Amino acid sequence: MIMNTMQQRPESKGTTFYALGLSYKKADAEVRGKFSLDNQKKDALLQQAKAEGISNLIVTSTCNRTELYGFAQHPFQLIKHLCENTAGSIEEFQKVAYVYKGNEAIAHMFRMGTGLDSQILGDFEIISQLKSSFIQSKNLGLVDAFSERLVNAVIQASKKIKNETDISTGATSVSFASVQYILNNVPNVSDKNILLFGTGKIGRNTCDNLVKHIDNNHVSLINRTKDKAEKVAGKFDVTVKEYANLQTEIQQSDIVIVATGAQQPTIDKEVLASTDKELLLLDLSIPKNVNDDVLELPNVTVVHLDDLSKITDETLEKRKEHIPQAERIIDEIKGEFLTWMETRKFAPTIKALKQKLQEIKSEEIDFQRRKNNDFNESQAEVLSDRIIQKITKHFANHLKADDTATNDSIAIIEKVFQL
């Protein structure tokens, strides 16, 4: 673990720790799509930020949100990098964005990473996405002890909430909600031809839920990379179709679930124009992978993931009962992190104080050695070291106290001892 104490505090070298971004709460799917970042765009953003002096930054981008966590002198430094690497503008960002700083930014990461801020309560897929984003930043040298400790604390809280509460009980997620929608709205679903397009995480989870909850032997799978589709198909015992035959397969389907990671729509009016049968299209992608022009076709019904996320059932209502317990777990682990952070905040001062006292000790022992022929240097060393230890401990305890204005106390100590 890197122990760079100058970057372990929320404010260092004139910078502040920020969490900023946009989510499903104020930004619809179209706007979220403009600010969406695939791995290549995330890498470009991180590289650009590093080149322009940002030393600590984590970027997450999911179907529900795009967020940046990092240190900057002003949040606009981070916002600029986001807008320059996406199709979104600063004006659009300002309309739907949120910006948290310091301890509020830390608290937001805890709520986000533990599923309490998810579009569907208790959806824990976000924590694996946070881990991946952290690793991507770490590989580029854009994390330090502060961010590593923070992400590990959020992971710890997520695990504890999952293990000790029932907030994640029941298969409630966007992928399950899509299957639930089909069950509730499509008659004779066992006889329908279902096509799943895309084998990313949401696609795999959707395939899993289709097999578990729908009694149907007519499920097909298509992916641009066929071997990825075959791996998923082998696990769930479904049929793989050729990507080149996508249009033909759609024409033969009653239900099409689109869950690709494409940055542009993959299904449009032209692809569907040659079919006149009733077709249900479920788009689980951000940005949208189903072009809005398909709404002009009277035989096609389109349901986007934002619509699916509004589905509330008994499982979701039961989850809400466990929010207070989850929040208590967050407060406990977040409190431990904040205590560590405060300790690291004054650690350089205590270290400098101890070094200053050691210098004073050495000067005084040297003086007494020259002045007194019978001076017991070894006893003086032991006695002085014990006194120094007790003095620094008193200062450390003072700085740890809840009622201490730490920054003011550090300033006074540094002034008095000329640190």
Side-chain angles (χ1 to χ4, degrees), residues 30 71 227:
E30 183 178 353
F71 286 87
D227 61 342

Side-chain angles (χ1 to χ4, degrees), residues 1-5 7-10 106 144-150 153 333-347:
M1 182 179 293
I2 301 169
M3 298 304 290
N4 184 346
T5 55
Q7 292 180 339
Q8 288 172 346
R9 61 182 75 176
I106 292 168
D144 60 8
F146 172 87
S147 52
E148 185 158 1
R149 184 92 175 210
L150 176 57
I333 296 175
K334 183 178 68 176
E336 293 172 357
F337 173 78
L338 293 175
T339 299
W340 171 85
M341 189 178 71
E342 284 299 306
T343 301
R344 297 310 309 169
K345 185 175 182 179
F346 62 74

Side-chain angles (χ1 to χ4, degrees), residues 35 37 45 66 68 78-86 93:
F35 290 94
L37 293 155
L45 188 158
T66 295
L68 279 68
L78 304 179
I79 296 168
K80 178 178 77 76
H81 292 306
L82 175 62
C83 293
E84 288 180 356
N85 287 278
T86 64
F93 181 83

Side-chain angles (χ1 to χ4, degrees), residues 22-198:
L22 63 154
S23 75
Y24 66 94
K25 291 183 178 180
K26 291 181 68 176
D28 60 22
E30 183 178 353
V31 174
R32 297 203 307 278
K34 290 183 179 181
F35 290 94
S36 178
L37 293 155
D38 57 19
N39 279 335
Q40 187 175 0
K41 287 183 178 179
K42 280 171 62 178
D43 196 71
L45 188 158
L46 292 167
Q47 295 275 19
Q48 182 188 64
K50 185 177 181 179
E52 296 186 17
I54 299 295
S55 61
N56 194 329
L57 182 62
I58 297 172
V59 180
T60 62
S61 186
T62 73
C63 59
N64 293 332
R65 68 184 70 242
T66 295
E67 293 185 338
L68 279 68
Y69 292 88
F71 286 87
Q73 293 179 334
H74 190 279
F76 182 76
Q77 290 175 281
L78 304 179
I79 296 168
K80 178 178 77 76
H81 292 306
L82 175 62
C83 293
E84 288 180 356
N85 287 278
T86 64
S89 67
I90 291 174
E91 291 73 22
E92 289 172 311
F93 181 83
Q94 289 174 331
K95 289 178 183 178
V96 297
Y98 43 83
V99 177
Y100 301 103
K101 62 184 292 188
N103 287 355
E104 287 186 352
I106 292 168
H108 178 71
M109 182 184 277
F110 270 95
R111 290 190 65 85
M112 183 275 294
T114 55
L116 293 192
D117 199 56
S118 293
Q119 194 167 18
I120 293 182
L121 178 66
D123 187 347
F124 281 94
E125 291 180 7
I126 186 65
I127 195 65
S128 63
Q129 292 158 338
L130 177 60
K131 289 178 186 176
S132 298
S133 297
F134 172 79
I135 291 170
Q136 188 173 10
S137 292
K138 187 171 185 177
N139 289 339
L140 292 172
L142 280 167
V143 301
D144 60 8
F146 172 87
S147 52
E148 185 158 1
R149 184 92 175 210
L150 176 57
V151 170
N152 284 336
V154 173
I155 293 170
Q156 181 187 354
S158 176
K159 286 180 180 177
K160 193 167 186 180
I161 290 171
K162 196 169 186 178
N163 293 335
E164 297 183 12
T165 78
D166 290 327
I167 202 166
S168 61
T169 299
T172 301
S173 63
V174 170
S175 55
F176 176 73
S178 64
V179 174
Q180 188 180 42
Y181 181 90
I182 293 170
L183 288 169
N184 293 338
N185 293 276
V186 179
N188 304 316
V189 67
S190 296
D191 301 325
K192 304 299 183 183
N193 292 323
I194 302 175
L195 176 64
L196 175 60
F197 178 28

